[in-house]
Amino acid sequence: MNAYGDSGLPSVAEAAAHGPVNPWVALAYLVSGVFFILALRGLSSPATSRTGNRFGMIGMLIAVVTTLVTHDIANIVEILIAIALGGVIGITIARRIAMTSMPELVAAFHSLVGLAAVLVGWAAYLNPGAFGLLTDTGIGAVSKVEMGLGIAIGAITFSGSVIAFLKLSGRMSGSPILLPARHVINLGTLAAIIVLTALFAMAGPAETMPLIIALTVLAFAIGFLLIIPIGGADMPVVVSMLNSYSGWAAAAMGFTLGNTAMIITGALVGSSGAILSYIMCRAMNRSFISVIAGGFGADDSGGAGGEAREQRPYKQGSAADAAFMLEQAEKVIIIPGYGMAVAQAQHALREMADMLEEKGVEVKYAIHPVAGRMPGHMNVLLAEAQVPYENVFELEDINSEFAQADVAFIIGANDVVNPAAKTDKSSPIYGMPVFDVDKAKQVFFIKRSMGGVGYAGVDNDVFYMDQTMMLLSDAKKMVEEIVKAMD
């Protein structure tokens, strides 16, 4: 074995501690970084998302293989077994998971990234020699700062993602949980984490253990405290925000490990997640700072919008009624939501739209930025049903067309068409841009029953409008019945 190990190349830890990375290793990491950038570019559109996924897989393969080759691994068999087990688990979950469970799955995966960052940080602290972090006086101050930041961001990501998973999966209420003096508690905890990181960096070897334990505990706590005050309407932003946190945690650990690929990948994920969160906040007319600060702008009084109102008169129709009116229409705009995803009604919906187009009806789909509890959820489902991309429009591109639409066909959406966002200042969704379905000549609203409210927990005036016909049934069953009635 030479000075660089069996491979003849310097390990990442050795390179970080003793000199620059071998140029071939740097080139391999650069190539993997390029593939990650191409992956993000591909994922920006449903038409190129599959290609983007493939680019990401290739980039990760190059990064993993390069890291394995450049390390002195005590037992490569154990590493390969771990990779194989992870691959089997990942494939199994990917094949079995329903699209309706994708938001909470993403939150769960973010929690694993955060936990991994915490464990790597602690491993580096407990055995710094194996990571090339030792100096004559112990772990260097810069390495301690990187380690402390990685552990803190990772712990925040982990506990925050666990809360997001519980809310998205229905195991915890989606309503904001507002603690007394929560802003003071949150700011105080964050300040304490910053101070502890600085003290940890300056402390001697014998004084660091209590500081890193306190840092870890407080970081886990603040992740929990930041997410519980955020209501259901803002959960899509939270998913994107936690994705950003997981990226920054990985980047911080990349500095600790001296791994260029982790730094590049973490920075890409962190920055793209932050940009997406900002874009979504603008689309929802939310303050980015207020969301990431844990509902900083939320009304402590709670308002009256969080509960369903007393039942009011509404009109209920049948599939035959809807089929007749749809066939007479010239323009129909379909607004899909989470209820469509739960019922897996996208294929039946595509069949209905095809039949209407054959009869000369213009059909368009309107997608809200937060429809489906995760960015792009509805786009993916419609793409799965092979809905043409040119028929799918975002809110700002189609909202002005509802005034010319004969029918607004709402299937499983609720909060994104709720006029309370424009009229009720006490509503938790006030200020969020919504579709102007009330301007359409006729509104068909598919909903299981009149008893429930949307994910944000507010009643919807659209149910009771004169031009609204409620189609109370499972979304897939109702659309299939409409299709049969149009035969």
Side-chain angles (χ1 to χ4, degrees), residues 194-219:
I194 294 172
V195 171
L196 285 170
T197 302
L199 293 175
F200 176 65
M202 296 184 292
E207 304 167 344
T208 55
M209 179 62 79
L211 294 172
I212 194 172
I213 291 176
L215 171 66
T216 305
V217 171
L218 286 180

Side-chain angles (χ1 to χ4, degrees), residues 11 16-17 26-27 103 128 158 189 191 202 211 271 292 294 312 370 403 408 441 443 450 455:
S11 72
L27 178 62
F158 173 77
T189 306
M202 296 184 292
L211 294 172
S271 56
I292 65 172
R312 291 180 281 167
V370 300
K441 297 174 185 175
V443 177
M450 293 299 296
Y455 189 54

Side-chain angles (χ1 to χ4, degrees), residues 4-205:
Y4 294 142
D6 292 335
S7 66
L9 298 174
S11 72
V12 172
E14 288 170 333
H18 304 297
V21 176
N22 182 288
W24 292 106
V25 177
L27 178 62
Y29 285 150
L30 176 63
V31 171
S32 69
V34 170
F35 273 108
F36 291 140
I37 294 171
L38 293 173
L40 289 175
R41 179 68 183 88
L43 292 171
S44 64
S45 168
T48 57
S49 59
R50 290 181 184 272
T51 302
N53 263 324
R54 294 189 184 101
F55 281 143
M57 293 165 65
I58 294 171
M60 186 56 67
L61 177 63
I62 293 172
V64 170
V65 170
T66 302
T67 301
L68 292 177
V69 169
T70 56
H71 275 74
D72 288 334
I73 298 172
N75 193 330
I76 188 65
V77 174
E78 292 180 356
I79 297 295
L80 293 177
I81 290 174
I83 292 175
L85 287 174
V88 169
I89 293 172
I91 291 172
T92 302
I93 291 175
R95 288 184 175 276
R96 292 185 178 180
I97 198 73
M99 273 304 300
T100 51
S101 302
M102 195 59 68
E104 54 260 42
L105 177 66
V106 172
F109 281 167
H110 289 162
S111 73
L112 296 179
V113 176
L115 184 59
V118 174
L119 295 176
V120 170
W122 268 90
Y125 170 74
L126 295 174
N127 191 7
F131 292 81
L133 302 179
L134 277 180
T135 65
D136 294 338
T137 57
I139 304 174
V142 174
S143 296
K144 287 189 204 174
V145 171
E146 296 166 355
M147 190 184 303
L149 288 175
I151 290 173
I153 299 173
I156 292 171
T157 303
F158 173 77
S159 54
S161 297
V162 169
I163 298 301
F165 169 81
L166 294 174
K167 287 196 172 195
L168 288 165
S169 62
R171 293 173 172 85
M172 177 184 286
S173 171
S175 301
I177 300 174
L178 305 178
L179 300 178
R182 68 186 186 282
H183 304 322
V184 175
I185 295 172
N186 290 350
L187 291 173
T189 306
L190 287 172
I193 290 172
I194 294 172
V195 171
L196 285 170
T197 302
L199 293 175
F200 176 65
M202 296 184 292

Side-chain angles (χ1 to χ4, degrees), residues 126-426:
L126 295 174
N127 191 7
F131 292 81
L133 302 179
L134 277 180
T135 65
D136 294 338
T137 57
I139 304 174
V142 174
S143 296
K144 287 189 204 174
V145 171
E146 296 166 355
M147 190 184 303
L149 288 175
I151 290 173
I153 299 173
I156 292 171
T157 303
F158 173 77
S159 54
S161 297
V162 169
I163 298 301
F165 169 81
L166 294 174
K167 287 196 172 195
L168 288 165
S169 62
R171 293 173 172 85
M172 177 184 286
S173 171
S175 301
I177 300 174
L178 305 178
L179 300 178
R182 68 186 186 282
H183 304 322
V184 175
I185 295 172
N186 290 350
L187 291 173
T189 306
L190 287 172
I193 290 172
I194 294 172
V195 171
L196 285 170
T197 302
L199 293 175
F200 176 65
M202 296 184 292
E207 304 167 344
T208 55
M209 179 62 79
L211 294 172
I212 194 172
I213 291 176
L215 171 66
T216 305
V217 171
L218 286 180
F220 277 125
I222 194 62
F224 171 81
L225 294 171
L226 284 174
I227 304 304
I228 59 171
I230 300 178
D234 289 325
M235 286 312 294
V237 180
V238 171
V239 172
S240 177
M241 180 182 69
L242 291 169
N243 178 54
S244 178
Y245 288 174
S246 69
W248 297 124
M253 285 299 101
F255 282 104
T256 299
L257 299 176
N259 191 309
T260 308
M262 283 187 68
I263 297 172
I264 293 173
T265 307
L268 286 171
V269 174
S271 56
S272 61
I275 292 170
L276 177 59
S277 299
Y278 176 72
I279 291 172
M280 291 184 66
C281 283
R282 288 192 61 184
M284 296 167 62
N285 198 27
R286 288 285 194 265
S287 164
F288 181 66
I289 298 300
S290 99
V291 174
I292 65 172
F296 197 85
D299 179 10
D300 288 344
S301 65
E307 299 178 358
R309 301 172 186 172
E310 185 178 347
Q311 192 65 266
R312 291 180 281 167
Y314 63 91
K315 291 187 292 187
Q316 183 173 349
S318 66
D321 297 330
F324 175 78
M325 295 182 191
L326 285 168
E327 288 178 313
Q328 306 306 311
E330 294 183 1
K331 183 173 185 176
V332 174
I333 300 178
I334 300 172
I335 304 99
Y338 189 69
M340 183 196 77
V342 172
Q344 289 290 290
Q346 63 268 26
H347 297 283
L349 188 66
R350 165 69 194 277
E351 184 180 357
M352 184 192 81
D354 287 346
M355 293 182 68
L356 289 174
E357 288 175 340
E358 289 174 2
K359 298 176 184 294
V361 181
E362 181 185 9
V363 179
K364 292 185 176 182
Y365 297 80
I367 304 295
H368 194 279
V370 300
R373 305 186 189 178
M374 192 176 75
H377 199 175
M378 292 299 103
N379 302 71
V380 173
L381 286 174
L382 295 180
E384 180 185 290
Q386 298 183 337
V387 171
Y389 299 125
E390 60 269 19
N391 291 355
V392 180
F393 298 86
E394 296 184 0
L395 182 145
E396 63 269 19
D397 298 322
I398 199 171
N399 218 15
S400 60
E401 297 188 28
F402 280 98
Q404 293 81 45
D406 295 291
V407 176
F409 190 91
I410 305 167
I411 175 168
N414 196 332
D415 299 326
V416 299
V417 298
N418 194 334
K422 298 180 290 184
T423 60
D424 185 359
K425 291 185 178 181
S426 68

